Amino acid sequence: MLAKVRSGTVQGVDGLSVDVEVDLALGLPAFNTVGLPDSSVRESKDRVKAAIKNSGYEFPPRKITVNLAPADVKKAGAGFDLPIAIGILAASELFDAKVLEEYAVLGELSLDGAVRGVSGVLPITLDAKNQGLKGILVPVENKQEAAVVSGIEVFGVTSLHQVVEFLAKETAIEPEQTRHAELLSSSIVYDVDFQDVKGQEHVKRALEIAASGGHNVSLAGPPGSGKTMLARRLATILPDMSFEEALETTKIYSIIGKISSKTPLVASRPFRAPHHTITDAGLIGGGSTPRPGEVSLAHNGVLFLDELPEFKKHVLEVLRQPLEAGDVTITRANMSLDFPSRFVLVVASNPCPCGYYGDKLRECNCTPVQIQRYSSKVSGPLLDRIDLHLEVGVVPFSDMTDKRKGESSSVIKSRVDRCRNIQEKRFIKSSKVHCNAQMGVKEIEKYCNLDIASTRLLQRSVEKLGLSARAYHRILKIARTIADMDNKTNLELSHIAEAVQYRRNG
């Protein structure tokens, strides 16, 4: 007897439909799984056998062959336990196998037949919807995550017995309902605010420009000047994510199992701050079965690299592709996967190993050779891809003891939202450009026209500072953002002058 169960796996950040075909044949009892299963899938036969018996069903003493199609794609994870068990029981004619044509099934089984949660449920549910299936059966732990997808019925199940009863139409399960608008608004939570920052008004101004145009930022200053504190608050003034952006980000977190039932949708802008000991695979993604790295976990949010010179040089160099393209391509012998990685990069560094070079109050003990070696750890091409270069000084005592609160994140964000709305209307016909930082040469030529005075100032700045063509374009992008913040159609001399000062340290 043959039975087929619809299921799925994850390939990159997308779901891939997998047909679990189960054949029961006469012969000596055996259990074979084919179709490029990994070790966790091959081990499922022991879990499935125990779960079927402990759920009160008879395990068929037949030659059992399980095929996972398509056979040329590697299958990983314990999510195939439940569909394999259902396939065996359907092939044993415990219920009508035709009902399986309407549903996808996903879940790990414990030995007593309970269904456990798995990762990657959201992209698999999206794929099931695109395949035109009526519903999907997922572990009850994952039902809210799957219910984020509209247009498909989501049933949370707790045991193998419950699934069999449902498919045999002997019991009913209420599908999970989710109100997307309420879920999106209730999931936006930040535990920091810009009003906590004392002083540093010029840095706040620059971070508002960065948020308004999606620009990358470099912060340089002595220890304790507030670089990390400022960077952590950048996400709070970025525009709210749209539902499509939230869905993109949630898919990535679903794959690595970072979604909880309390927050089934990642609606707050991600803030990722990996330690400087991270490997290139940890930062960019990788592994034998490629998984997303920190640059993808920061998708639609902020990636913060503190103590930038302490990172290994070859690790930093892999940032070039995501900074330019907004995605990462990881190639293996049998596959090539793309992971989205569009983020605002914020880097922080000290001026020297001890951190006090140039400080008026504390003496630097570093030699010129040590300072040169320290600064040369970060390559020029990487720094050239950062738009805003800022010096963060020590906070004066008068600012630290000032009882007045600064501007809150919500007030700054309201100005950022207005600026982003201008850019959305400007780039409404473009599918790749959504903010000023993403402009290409064509958009720069179209929207960054200069008058004679601005052209002369920019020419002198480029020649005096020895700026590259990339730096020249980035100055124009920053100036375009500043003009949008001033609600100006054309670039003016003041916009170019402010934009140039953010490149003087770059």
Side-chain angles (χ1 to χ4, degrees):
M1 185 67 182
L2 177 67
K4 183 170 73 172
V5 184
R6 306 291 292 272
S7 189
T9 188
V10 174
Q11 193 171 44
V13 294
D14 298 315
L16 176 69
S17 295
V18 175
D19 290 334
V20 180
E21 300 170 339
V22 180
D23 177 65
L24 303 185
L26 295 175
L28 293 175
F31 196 136
N32 297 312
T33 305
V34 296
L36 285 184
D38 74 345
S39 58
S40 62
V41 180
R42 288 193 297 269
E43 290 172 354
S44 66
K45 62 182 180 182
D46 297 316
R47 294 191 295 270
V48 168
K49 186 174 181 179
I52 289 177
K53 288 185 174 180
N54 292 326
S55 296
Y57 305 111
E58 180 183 357
F59 189 82
R62 301 286 187 92
K63 181 181 179 181
I64 302 173
T65 303
V66 176
N67 178 46
L68 307 177
D72 60 343
V73 177
K74 188 175 182 180
K75 319 300 186 308
F80 292 108
D81 289 4
L82 184 58
I84 290 174
I86 292 299
I88 291 173
L89 296 177
S92 302
E93 300 183 342
L94 191 64
F95 57 88
D96 188 358
K98 290 184 178 180
V99 71
L100 294 171
E101 298 174 0
E102 301 177 340
Y103 300 99
V105 182
L106 188 68
E108 178 185 344
L109 286 175
S110 62
L111 299 184
D112 62 355
V115 179
R116 291 175 172 169
V118 294
S119 59
V121 169
L122 179 57
I124 293 173
T125 305
L126 282 166
D127 181 70
K129 173 197 171 182
N130 295 334
Q131 296 297 322
L133 297 182
K134 176 183 177 182
I136 182 170
L137 280 70
V138 300
V140 69
E141 299 173 37
N142 302 118
K143 66 177 183 178
Q144 291 184 337
E145 175 188 343
V148 169
V149 182
S150 59
I152 185 171
E153 294 182 334
V154 175
F155 301 93
V157 297
T158 58
S159 66
L160 175 61
H161 179 74
Q162 184 188 22
V163 176
V164 173
E165 294 286 304
F166 173 76
L167 295 174
K169 299 183 179 179
E170 294 180 3
T171 188
I173 303 175
E174 286 296 320
E176 182 70 11
Q177 301 291 335
T178 299
R179 297 180 179 179
H180 295 153
E182 294 179 6
L183 181 62
L184 187 62
S185 60
S186 63
S187 300
I188 302 176
V189 178
Y190 298 105
D191 55 1
V192 293
D193 196 285
F194 258 104
Q195 68 180 2
D196 303 326
V197 181
K198 301 290 187 180
Q200 306 292 16
E201 297 302 325
H202 71 292
V203 184
K204 293 179 185 178
R205 162 72 176 176
L207 291 178
E208 183 178 340
I209 295 172
S212 298
H215 303 286
N216 301 321
V217 185
S218 172
L219 305 174
S225 55
K227 301 186 295 293
T228 301
M229 187 178 189
L230 287 158
R232 287 189 177 278
R233 283 153 178 78
L234 178 58
T236 66
I237 62 173
L238 290 173
D240 293 338
M241 284 200 285
S242 65
F243 183 75
E244 290 72 22
E245 287 179 318
L247 205 59
E248 280 183 352
T249 305
T250 306
K251 282 169 61 177
I252 299 170
Y253 281 76
S254 173
I255 291 167
I256 63 171
K258 292 288 187 178
I259 301 297
S260 68
S261 58
K262 295 181 180 179
T263 56
L265 186 69
V266 179
S268 300
R269 296 278 180 182
F271 178 86
R272 304 295 299 183
H275 193 259
H276 61 77
T277 56
I278 193 172
T279 63
D280 51 355
L283 184 63
I284 211 76
S288 56
T289 301
R291 289 166 59 85
E294 289 291 335
V295 296
S296 295
L297 293 173
H299 181 58
N300 289 322
V302 177
L303 177 66
F304 177 51
L305 303 183
D306 197 8
E307 304 293 346
L308 185 68
E310 300 297 336
F311 284 78
K312 295 181 177 65
K313 194 166 186 177
H314 72 276
V315 173
L316 293 178
E317 293 307 307
V318 300
L319 283 173
R320 294 191 190 185
Q321 182 191 355
L323 286 176
E324 291 292 335
D327 59 19
V328 172
T329 301
I330 299 176
T331 303
R332 294 292 180 265
N334 59 344
M335 69 179 72
S336 181
L337 301 175
D338 292 328
F339 293 102
S341 54
R342 188 173 59 251
F343 53 84
V344 175
L345 175 66
V346 182
V347 300
S349 60
N350 296 325
C352 66
C354 76
Y356 299 116
Y357 177 70
D359 195 303
K360 297 179 180 179
L361 301 177
R362 284 166 288 192
E363 183 180 356
C364 173
N365 298 316
C366 303
T367 65
V369 174
Q370 288 176 319
I371 296 173
Q372 174 63 28
R373 187 183 299 120
Y374 185 77
S375 61
S376 65
K377 289 182 179 181
V378 183
S379 69
L382 177 61
L383 291 175
D384 209 27
R385 287 171 166 82
I386 298 176
D387 301 353
L388 304 167
H389 295 260
L390 308 172
E391 290 186 0
V392 184
V394 176
V395 181
F397 181 78
S398 58
D399 287 341
M400 287 189 286
T401 56
D402 192 346
K403 300 298 183 181
R404 292 173 298 177
K405 292 284 187 180
E407 276 191 315
S408 67
S409 293
S410 60
V411 172
I412 301 173
K413 181 178 175 298
S414 64
R415 297 196 296 265
V416 172
D417 288 340
R418 181 186 58 78
C419 189
R420 283 293 185 103
N421 288 334
I422 294 173
Q423 296 168 51
E424 285 181 10
K425 294 176 182 177
R426 176 184 299 141
F427 305 122
I428 192 169
K429 295 183 179 179
S430 175
S431 60
K432 295 183 178 180
V433 181
H434 305 284
C435 60
N436 290 334
Q438 298 171 359
M439 287 193 295
V441 176
K442 291 182 179 180
E443 290 82 13
I444 292 174
E445 291 177 350
K446 185 175 181 180
Y447 301 113
C448 299
N449 296 318
L450 301 177
D451 57 23
I452 295 175
S454 299
T455 302
R456 288 175 179 172
L457 173 61
L458 188 53
Q459 179 183 359
R460 290 196 302 270
S461 302
V462 169
E463 292 174 350
K464 184 177 181 179
L465 299 175
L467 300 177
S468 66
R470 181 185 289 114
Y472 163 75
H473 285 145
R474 292 186 183 276
I475 288 174
L476 291 176
K477 293 178 184 179
I478 297 168
R480 179 67 268 171
T481 299
I482 297 171
D484 290 340
M485 294 171 68
D486 290 344
N487 204 19
K488 300 289 186 179
T489 303
N490 299 318
L491 301 186
E492 299 178 357
L493 184 63
S494 61
H495 304 146
I496 295 295
E498 184 175 2
V500 167
Q501 73 167 336
Y502 294 126
R503 297 296 305 188
R504 293 183 62 184
N505 302 315

